[in-house]
Amino acid sequence: MNRNTTACAPRRRVLLSISTMGLAVLLGGGFGIAQAQDAWPNKTIRLVVPFTPGGVTDTSGRLIAEHLGKRLGQQIIVDNKPGASGNIGTSLVKAAAADGYTLVLGFDGTMVINPHVFAKTPFDTVKDFVPVGKIGDATLILVANPALPAKTLTEVIALSKTQPGGLSFGTSGTGGTPHIAGELLKSRTNANLMHIPYKGGGQAMTDVLGGTIPLVYTAVAGAHGHVKSGKLHAVAVSSAQRTSALPDVPTFIESGVPDFVVNSWVGILAPIATPTAIVTRLNTELNAVLNDPVVREKLRLMGIDATPGTVDQFSNEIKRDLARYGQVVKSAGISIE
């Protein structure tokens, strides 16, 4: 019996050694994974802006990319991928690797209105993306070429009713928040306005500056400099109160349209399977950027009120807006084939 026990001892030591080695390998593998996660980011991050340069998504996105990249220690490049009212660039991010290196600058027009106005949207806002954080709320403004004889909202509405084909107003695209705002203005005032959709706010701005179209409904971000220089005339802003960026411009409410409040928002989202640790890190650093007085002031001058918050807060707002805008789109009969 002792002989058998003695004979088995080396075998037990070998088995113990193998088990210990297996445990070490498992622990080592886990440690390697943890190290890989801790190392994020270790290369350039791409922020897809699904519109042409010049609009609120582009200008705010470039500002945030610069400061967020500094906090993360890696460059964040802005990649403009316009088309289909933001659907093309957004769907590219949906299909990207969920590793934290490809993000999308979400615009409410794309994320919560497009699913209602397009017969088929190439993404599901809730199922295909995880919200990282909201950047802020953008004030919308109706601006006119200075040659337009109507200066006040009342005058614009009156002039529109004398135009057989309607008074044209451009926006960044069909179904975007400015388009929704314009349709609401028509229904609330019986104004004879004709919507002219563009592939981005920059192109619409170019045409109103050149006199090709008389009006543009856009974000203050894209119009602020032109209004300050006198190249464009500001008719009204659709926020509840006057914006500090353009304090002399009246609200639609002041101009005779009760309770007319339509703002927009921009934020950052990632592919749905992006690791929680990476999303949390991004949210934390984004909030730090948004709490920076310099960044807040630059956003303010764009007409954007910075709104640092949690991932859950942004997620809940997206879901509420999906329901709210769905009702507006249905009532206005807006659709894109």
Side-chain angles (χ1 to χ4, degrees):
M1 183 173 181
N2 291 337
R3 187 167 54 252
N4 291 338
T5 300
T6 303
C8 290
R11 183 178 302 174
R12 286 199 299 271
R13 285 196 294 271
V14 170
L15 290 173
L16 178 61
S17 176
I18 293 174
S19 298
T20 303
M21 288 173 63
L23 180 61
V25 169
L26 288 174
L27 289 175
F31 181 67
I33 293 172
Q35 278 189 317
Q37 289 181 343
D38 290 343
W40 182 91
N42 56 25
K43 62 180 181 179
T44 299
I45 298 170
R46 180 171 67 139
L47 178 63
V48 174
V49 173
F51 293 97
T52 55
V56 64
T57 48
D58 181 69
T59 53
S60 61
R62 290 180 184 278
L63 173 66
I64 296 302
E66 176 188 353
H67 290 268
L68 183 58
K70 290 178 180 178
R71 292 196 63 86
L72 292 172
Q74 289 291 340
Q75 181 184 19
I76 300 179
I77 60 170
V78 172
D79 189 5
N80 294 93
K81 295 291 183 182
S85 297
N87 285 350
I88 291 178
T90 304
S91 61
L92 287 176
V93 177
K94 166 194 169 181
D99 55 8
Y101 290 102
T102 304
L103 309 170
V104 65
L105 200 72
F107 170 57
D108 61 342
T110 301
M111 307 307 297
V112 299
I113 298 176
N114 281 7
H116 300 296
V117 300
F118 280 84
K120 186 176 182 181
T121 308
F123 59 84
D124 185 303
T125 301
V126 175
K127 294 180 180 179
D128 293 331
F129 297 96
V130 56
V132 169
K134 191 170 86 168
I135 293 171
D137 291 309
T139 301
L140 299 183
I141 186 171
L142 181 65
V143 293
N145 183 285
L148 188 72
K151 302 303 178 185
T152 67
L153 180 61
T154 300
E155 292 172 348
V156 168
I157 294 171
L159 178 62
S160 74
K161 294 178 180 179
T162 68
Q163 308 297 307
L167 197 60
S168 300
F169 74 99
T171 73
S172 57
T174 299
T177 315
H179 179 203
I180 296 294
E183 295 296 336
L184 285 175
L185 180 62
K186 287 169 60 176
S187 66
R188 293 284 299 277
T189 65
N190 293 317
N192 186 17
L193 299 173
M194 181 175 67
H195 179 231
I196 306 296
Y198 285 80
K199 291 184 178 180
Q203 293 181 22
M205 195 60 58
T206 297
D207 275 6
V208 74
L209 285 167
T212 303
I213 54 175
L215 297 165
V216 160
Y217 214 140
T218 187
V220 168
H224 180 267
H226 301 305
V227 171
K228 297 293 285 186
S229 68
K231 293 180 180 179
L232 289 177
H233 171 71
V235 178
V237 292
S238 53
S239 49
Q241 299 175 339
R242 295 192 182 196
T243 173
S244 58
L246 295 169
D248 295 331
V249 180
T251 65
F252 280 86
I253 296 173
E254 291 177 292
S255 302
V257 188
D259 302 320
F260 192 86
V261 179
V262 186
N263 289 321
S264 188
W265 54 253
V266 287
I268 295 177
L269 299 95
I272 189 64
T274 302
T276 301
I278 292 177
V279 174
T280 300
R281 172 85 186 281
L282 280 167
N283 177 264
T284 299
E285 300 299 350
L286 175 62
N287 286 337
V289 169
L290 294 175
N291 281 314
D292 183 337
V294 174
V295 174
R296 293 180 71 90
E297 177 62 13
K298 288 183 178 180
L299 287 173
R300 185 190 69 81
L301 292 175
M302 294 178 184
I304 300 175
D305 294 322
T307 56
T310 67
V311 170
D312 286 342
Q313 286 173 330
F314 189 28
S315 177
N316 290 335
E317 182 170 1
I318 288 173
K319 292 173 183 176
R320 287 195 303 269
D321 282 352
L322 274 167
R324 178 167 69 106
Y325 284 125
Q327 296 175 350
V328 175
V329 168
K330 182 178 180 179
S331 176
I334 302 170
S335 65
I336 301 176
E337 297 300 329

